[in-house]
């Protein structure tokens, strides 16, 4: 099962390699990883999506916690968290398909951020199934390039 | 120019910070980028012991640490100096030995330019250090040194590396920052064990076939006295790992000896058949479980007590998990015991005694055999002598037969199994405890991996007694080729061996040669009577095998015993 781990780490050079190295060394697979600044300039936040059963995830969490540069690890999997991903998608268009493509973008609440003669670039935000669904829907028109940020997640506030 | 000179040199800040951590000795080897540090060392009260190879200095620091419980400190220059330390860092990491490893680095401005003797030692050692620092500003040195020692010795100990660029060491007139630690992310585990202690006491009192399985965590925590009390009070039989040797002496009535690949038959049967396994400070290493956690102690409820939460349920499924210091947890269990009945282990002990009677390996005491040498050495040197070993057959014979009574008197490379460890570890042990007897048990293969450290022994007049079991082959490899590769012997002959007695003598070290059983006792007595270092070169047969042995991939009860 996929788990989303939010890992608060020191904002120092070399921290990413310590975390990534741990995954390689122990044979855990990273599905996606994002690193960003936080409200505290001394800390960065890594959102790591990792695949594994409960025992593996427990091991991953414990191993991460052991790193001196890691301040905290929390599991943001399931109902208690909101997660989002951003994607930029370049789609082929022609006179015949243009309106159908734009309609699909509309249905998914995407935005066209760049428009050329033969292709358009769409910005789309949502949870992972939504982006997957859009990619699936747009594929028949000609998917030229796809960039996804990887998941970020945050805990829902209590009630 | 009238510049105000209130600061001091970077190297001096480092040495002062080390002194503040109680460092009395550094094992090291100089080099280009370390010149500012070696210059400052001349004015420091810290003793420096010059090795003959950087691998020797890190093993010496490791030996120093194992026999004192203190943090060992070693120093090597940039580039090859640093890479030569790598094996020793891995050794300390796998055995959870606290070290602070200092490496020289090229000047900060040159880092990344592939300059002379530059390597990224932080990158190279990342998987085998508990933590590491590249010092970019000499003002940070007091904090970094304090943090490094704190991280190295707390929780599950391990090696911490500090990489020191030349300009950081050479910078003059530095006013250092405070040494206040900034370790928000570092956690030392061990929490209140809500109700778990009582649960352990209850499960124990209901058990009919309990076994306590003790490892290096018991030694780290200094829990051997509590373990002994526990054994005396409960009559629970105790097996130890290689790392746990001495935590309960072999002659203690509850001791079943070592468990695992070369463990005793009784210990292995006991672990396989027990209904309760109390694992303390162990990590269910594959040399104990045969690499098959799912087939290990399958009839037992397993209680796992360890300081490192990562070890809990890593290999074996456990019923009760307690994260904490072995000494503290064992003491809490002892306190809870009076509320519960002692387990009825009468039948269990009858069974264990029966196994022991039927399966103790016999050897001919009149023949020159390794067990005979070990027992004779034990009688002459005594159980409280510090023993260091190398890696191979002799290491296992030492583990099986040497009567160590104090776990801090035993230094052996367990997890990494690194040949060449023993001699420099003996150097570190003897420097650490100059008034105690130190004996190295080694083989002719291992010995030659660090033979240059005889120079360190000679220079420092260290009265180490070197017991060399010399069979002219790489014995452990030979044994496995004999047992599992149809006696197809490949690359095990050491025909180019020197005359080790003459080698010793060339260093000014007394050498004694032993070729028959009658000579053993006399030679060992002479060695211990002599005030200086002695090498006793004992010729043994290459046909001697370490028994019992669990073949790779077999259950621990499937031992080869003859």
């Amino acid at each position: 099962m996929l788990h989303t781990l939010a890992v608060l780490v020191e904002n120092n050079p070399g921290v990413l390699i310590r975390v990534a190295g741990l995954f390689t060394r122990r044979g855990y697979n990273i599905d996606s990883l994002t690193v960003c600044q936080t409200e505290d300039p001394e800390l960065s936040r890594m959102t790591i999506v990792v695949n594994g059963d409960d025992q593996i995830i427990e091991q991953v969490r414990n191993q991460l916690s052991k790193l001196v540069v890691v301040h905290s690890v929390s599991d943001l999997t399931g109902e208690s968290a909101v997660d989002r991903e951003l994607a930029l998608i370049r789609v082929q268009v022609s006179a015949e398909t243009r309106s159908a493509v734009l309609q699909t973008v509309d249905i998914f609440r995407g935005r066209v951020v760049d428009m050329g003669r033969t292709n358009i670039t769409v910005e789309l935000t949502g949870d992972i199934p939504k982006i997957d669904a859009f990619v699936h829907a747009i594929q028949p028109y000609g998917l030229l390039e796809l960039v996804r940020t990887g998941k970020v997640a945050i805990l829902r506030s209590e009630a | 120019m009238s510049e105000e000179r209130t600061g001091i040199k970077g190297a001096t800040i480092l040495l002062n910070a080390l002194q503040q951590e109680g460092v009395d000795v550094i094992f090291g080897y100089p080099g280009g980028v370390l010149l500012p540090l070696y210059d400052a060392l001349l004015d420091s009260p810290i003793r420096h012991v010059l090795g003959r190879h950087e691998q020797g200095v890190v093993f010496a620091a490791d030996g120093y640490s194992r026999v004192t419980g203190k943090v060992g400190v070693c120093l090597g220059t940039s580039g090859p100096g640093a890479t030569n330390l790598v094996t020793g860092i891995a050794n300390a990491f796998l055995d959870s030995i606290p070290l602070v490893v200092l490496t020289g680095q090229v000047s900060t401005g040159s880092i990344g330019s592939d300059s002379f003797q530059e390597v990224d030692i932080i990158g190279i050692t990342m998987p085998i250090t508990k933590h590491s620092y590249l010092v970019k500003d000499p003002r940070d040195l007091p904090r970094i040194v304090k943090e490094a020692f704190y991280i190295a010795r707390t929780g599950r100990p391990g090696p911490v590396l500090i990489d020191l660029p030349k300009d950081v060491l050479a910078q003059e007139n530095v006013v250092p920052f405070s040494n206040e630690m900034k370790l928000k992310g570092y956690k030392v585990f061990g929490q209140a064990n809500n109700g778990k202690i009582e649960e352990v006491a209850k499960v124990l009192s209901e058990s009919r076939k309990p076994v306590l399985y003790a490892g290096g965590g018991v030694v780290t925590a200094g829990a051997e006295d509590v373990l002994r009390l526990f054994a005396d009070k409960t009559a629970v039989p105790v097996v130890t790992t290689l790392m746990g040797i001495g935590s309960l002496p072999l002659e203690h009535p509850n001791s079943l000896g070592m468990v695992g690949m070369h463990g005793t038959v009784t210990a292995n049967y006991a672990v396989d058949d027990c209904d309760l396994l109390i694992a303390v400070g162990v990590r269910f290493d594959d040399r104990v479980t045969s690499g098959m956690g799912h087939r290990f102690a399958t009839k037992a409820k397993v209680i796992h007590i360890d300081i490192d939460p990562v070890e809990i349920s890593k290999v074996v499924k456990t019923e009760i998990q307690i994260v904490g210091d072995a000494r503290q947890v064992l003491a809490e269990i002892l306190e809870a015991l009076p509320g519960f009945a002692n387990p009825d282990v009468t039948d269990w002990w009858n069974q264990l005694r029966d196994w022991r009677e039927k399966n103790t390996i016999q050897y001919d005491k009149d023949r020159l055999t390794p067990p005979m040498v070990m027992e004779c050495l034990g009688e002459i040197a005594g159980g409280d002598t510090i023993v260091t070993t190398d890696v191979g057959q002799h290491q296992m014979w030492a583990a099986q037969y040497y009567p160590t009574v104090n776990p801090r008197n035993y230094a052996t490379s367990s997890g990494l199994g690194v040949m060449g460890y023993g001699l420099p570890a003996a150097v570190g042990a003897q420097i650490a405890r100059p008034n105690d007897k130190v004996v190295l048990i080694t083989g002719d293969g291992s010995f030659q991996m660090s033979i240059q450290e005889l120079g360190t022994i000679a220079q420092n007049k260290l009265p180490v007694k070197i017991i060399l079991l010399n069979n002219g082959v790489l014995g452990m490899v030979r044994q496995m080729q004999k047992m599992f590769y149809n006696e197809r012997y490949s690359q095990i002959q050491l025909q180019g061996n020197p005359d080790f007695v003459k080698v010793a003598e060339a260093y000014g070290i007394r050498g004694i040669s032993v070729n028959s059983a009658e000579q053993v006792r006399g030679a060992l007595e002479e060695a211990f009577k002599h005030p200086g270092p002695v090498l006793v070169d004992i010729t043994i047969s290459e046909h001697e095998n370490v028994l019992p042995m669990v073949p790779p991939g077999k259950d621990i009860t499937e031992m080869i015993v003859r």
Side-chain angles (χ1 to χ4, degrees):
Chain A
M1 172 181 175
L2 285 178
H3 282 252
T4 308
L5 302 180
V7 187
L8 276 178
V9 299
E10 277 173 25
N11 182 13
N12 284 332
V15 170
L16 178 60
I17 187 74
R18 282 182 201 277
V19 171
L22 173 71
F23 276 79
T24 323
R25 195 157 70 243
R26 300 278 174 187
Y28 311 135
N29 277 323
I30 297 179
D31 229 67
S32 78
L33 179 144
T34 67
V35 192
C36 57
Q37 296 174 333
T38 64
E39 66 284 357
D40 180 345
E42 287 188 0
L43 295 179
S44 302
R45 181 181 176 111
M46 293 187 180
T47 309
I48 306 175
V49 180
V50 57
N51 198 0
D53 60 25
D54 288 351
Q55 201 215 335
I56 299 265
I57 300 300
E58 182 68 17
Q59 280 284 309
V60 172
R61 290 187 60 171
N62 282 335
Q63 291 283 4
L64 283 169
S65 300
K66 251 176 94 170
L67 294 177
V68 174
V69 294
V70 170
H71 285 224
S72 70
V73 184
S74 36
D75 194 340
L76 300 187
T77 309
E79 298 300 306
S80 59
V82 186
D83 59 73
R84 288 290 179 271
E85 188 176 23
L86 184 140
L88 294 171
I89 308 138
R90 181 173 295 146
V91 189
Q92 198 164 12
V93 287
S94 62
E96 293 83 52
T97 61
R98 185 181 302 265
S99 61
V101 167
L102 290 175
Q103 217 172 2
T104 311
V105 172
D106 255 1
I107 291 168
F108 281 86
R109 293 167 207 248
R111 284 199 317 142
V112 176
V113 291
D114 185 40
M115 197 158 210
R117 264 191 317 128
T118 59
N119 62 70
I120 62 169
T121 301
V122 180
E123 172 198 313
L124 188 69
T125 311
D127 56 14
I128 285 171
K130 176 183 166 186
I131 293 178
D132 287 345
F134 177 78
V135 169
H136 185 73
I138 214 77
Q139 211 122 36
Y141 302 105
L143 180 70
L144 297 176
E145 201 175 349
L146 171 64
V147 188
R148 296 171 74 151
T149 56
K151 193 200 277 190
V152 292
I154 195 165
L155 267 186
R156 287 181 195 277
S157 50
E158 290 165 42
Chain B
M1 265 178 42
S2 64
E3 198 181 342
E4 203 185 341
R5 296 185 62 86
T6 51
I8 49 174
K9 193 165 138 178
T12 308
I13 296 176
L14 171 70
L15 290 168
N16 290 349
L18 292 173
Q19 230 183 305
Q20 210 157 26
E21 291 301 321
V23 175
D24 53 357
V25 58
I26 297 174
F27 300 90
Y29 204 102
V33 299
L34 290 181
L35 290 172
L37 180 54
Y38 274 85
D39 185 67
L41 202 53
L42 289 173
D43 304 319
S44 166
I46 297 178
R47 178 180 182 188
H48 180 276
V49 174
L50 175 68
R52 291 298 179 271
H53 187 292
E54 286 86 357
Q55 189 176 282
V57 307
V58 60
F59 286 159
D62 176 304
Y64 172 98
S65 175
R66 288 191 209 227
V67 304
T68 58
K70 295 199 286 187
V71 179
V73 183
C74 62
L75 169 63
T77 193
S78 66
T83 54
N84 279 344
L85 294 169
V86 169
T87 302
I89 298 171
N91 186 50
F93 185 71
L94 278 171
D95 285 352
S96 307
I97 303 302
L99 295 186
V100 167
V101 178
L102 306 168
T103 51
Q105 182 55 276
V106 300
S107 288
T108 45
S110 305
I111 290 178
S113 67
D114 301 325
S115 50
F116 178 64
Q117 294 195 326
E118 180 190 355
V119 296
D120 170 16
I121 196 63
I122 300 260
I124 290 171
T125 58
M126 206 166 274
I128 51 168
T129 46
K130 193 172 170 188
H131 196 50
S132 49
Y133 294 91
L134 170 63
V135 186
K136 288 182 172 161
D137 184 336
R139 291 176 296 178
D140 290 330
L141 278 164
R143 173 184 58 83
I144 288 176
V145 168
K146 191 172 185 188
E147 288 181 2
F149 276 79
Y150 180 72
I151 292 169
R153 70 169 180 263
T154 51
R156 179 181 183 168
V160 178
L161 185 140
I162 307 178
D163 204 17
L164 301 157
K166 184 177 185 181
D167 56 331
V168 166
L169 294 171
Q171 201 171 314
E172 303 275 358
N173 197 21
V174 180
V175 180
F177 294 141
S178 116
N179 67 353
E180 193 187 331
M181 297 198 292
K182 293 181 187 166
L183 286 175
K184 277 192 233 155
Y186 180 64
K187 308 145 204 87
V188 176
F189 296 94
Q191 66 271 33
N193 298 294
N194 315 326
K196 282 188 179 169
I197 299 293
E198 283 66 33
E199 205 182 334
V200 171
K202 181 166 174 290
V203 169
L204 174 63
S205 85
E206 288 162 2
S207 164
R208 293 296 166 264
K209 298 174 173 184
V211 169
L212 191 141
Y213 157 38
V218 172
V219 184
T220 307
E224 60 271 14
D225 52 343
V226 192
L227 175 64
R228 208 164 301 190
L229 275 176
F230 181 87
D232 291 339
K233 242 185 203 167
T234 59
V236 170
V238 176
V239 302
T240 76
T241 65
L242 185 58
M243 284 298 293
I245 277 189
S247 50
L248 194 71
L250 285 179
E251 63 259 38
H252 190 281
N254 291 38
S255 170
L256 304 183
M258 188 167 71
V259 64
M261 189 169 178
H262 293 295
T264 66
V265 174
T266 320
N268 285 2
Y269 279 179
V271 166
D272 185 63
D273 201 47
C274 67
D275 65 3
L276 176 69
L277 186 69
I278 308 172
V280 189
V282 296
R283 58 185 174 90
F284 296 88
D285 177 71
D286 58 81
R287 280 301 179 270
V288 170
T289 63
S290 286
M292 299 183 296
H294 61 289
R295 273 159 65 180
F296 184 75
T298 46
K299 298 169 197 161
K301 246 187 198 151
V302 180
I303 299 170
H304 195 181
I305 300 164
D306 201 276
I307 192 99
D308 184 355
V310 160
E311 292 302 336
I312 306 286
S313 301
K314 187 180 86 175
V315 176
V316 168
K317 218 179 130 274
T318 53
E319 272 75 19
I320 303 176
Q321 305 91 14
I322 300 181
V323 175
D325 173 84
R327 185 184 167 85
Q328 204 181 318
V329 175
L330 276 178
E332 283 174 29
I333 294 172
L334 260 180
E335 255 174 57
L337 283 180
F340 299 85
N342 250 349
D344 178 2
V345 289
T346 324
D347 291 347
W348 183 223
W349 269 109
N350 287 337
Q351 172 72 76
L352 295 169
R353 277 188 209 103
D354 184 50
W355 280 333
R356 185 141 60 185
E357 268 161 40
K358 287 187 181 139
N359 296 297
T360 298
I361 302 239
Q362 301 296 334
Y363 62 91
D364 184 354
K365 305 213 179 213
D366 299 326
R367 227 162 44 78
L368 177 46
T369 62
M372 172 266 206
V373 173
M374 288 304 120
E375 295 204 333
C376 189
L377 179 64
E379 279 168 32
I380 291 166
D384 58 350
T385 288
I386 298 169
V387 174
T388 75
T389 84
D390 265 300
V391 169
Q393 285 183 311
H394 68 272
Q395 180 188 30
M396 291 299 112
W397 286 317
Q400 291 172 330
Y401 294 100
Y402 196 90
T404 296
V405 296
N406 173 350
R408 284 281 172 215
N409 284 358
Y410 206 80
T412 195
S413 166
S414 302
L416 191 66
V418 53
M419 294 169 71
Y421 170 77
L423 184 59
V427 168
Q430 189 74 80
I431 297 270
R433 289 166 52 182
N435 300 320
D436 290 317
K437 283 183 281 186
V438 176
V439 55
L440 161 66
I441 299 169
T442 184
D444 48 323
S446 285
F447 188 55
Q448 290 182 81
M449 283 211 188
S450 285
I451 199 166
Q452 74 285 348
E453 299 301 331
L454 286 174
T456 317
I457 299 250
Q459 181 171 359
N460 294 283
K461 302 186 175 60
L462 304 175
V464 171
K465 314 303 175 193
I466 300 164
I467 310 303
L468 173 63
L469 298 182
N470 184 353
N471 58 5
V473 294
L474 299 175
M476 191 57 100
V477 179
R478 184 188 185 281
Q479 171 170 346
M480 289 194 276
Q481 289 176 345
K482 175 186 163 65
M483 289 178 170
F484 313 121
Y485 287 84
N486 299 317
E487 300 183 48
R488 282 163 54 84
Y489 297 117
S490 179
Q491 298 299 315
I492 52 156
Q493 291 293 336
L494 296 173
Q495 273 134 348
N497 270 354
D499 179 334
F500 289 103
V501 167
K502 281 190 186 156
V503 171
E505 284 167 357
Y507 279 99
I509 292 168
R510 162 112 35 118
I512 305 171
S513 174
V514 171
N515 296 297
S516 70
E518 304 81 67
Q519 295 172 317
V520 171
R521 181 168 292 272
L524 294 176
E525 279 170 352
E526 190 188 334
F528 281 93
K529 225 176 281 161
H530 181 66
V534 181
L535 181 146
V536 186
D537 177 9
I538 304 176
T539 303
I540 60 163
S541 161
E542 64 179 53
H543 298 285
E544 299 290 347
N545 290 318
V546 178
L547 299 172
M549 177 172 196
V550 180
K554 297 280 186 189
D555 284 339
I556 63 167
T557 51
E558 298 177 72
M559 289 161 278
I560 298 170
V561 291
R562 64 173 63 83

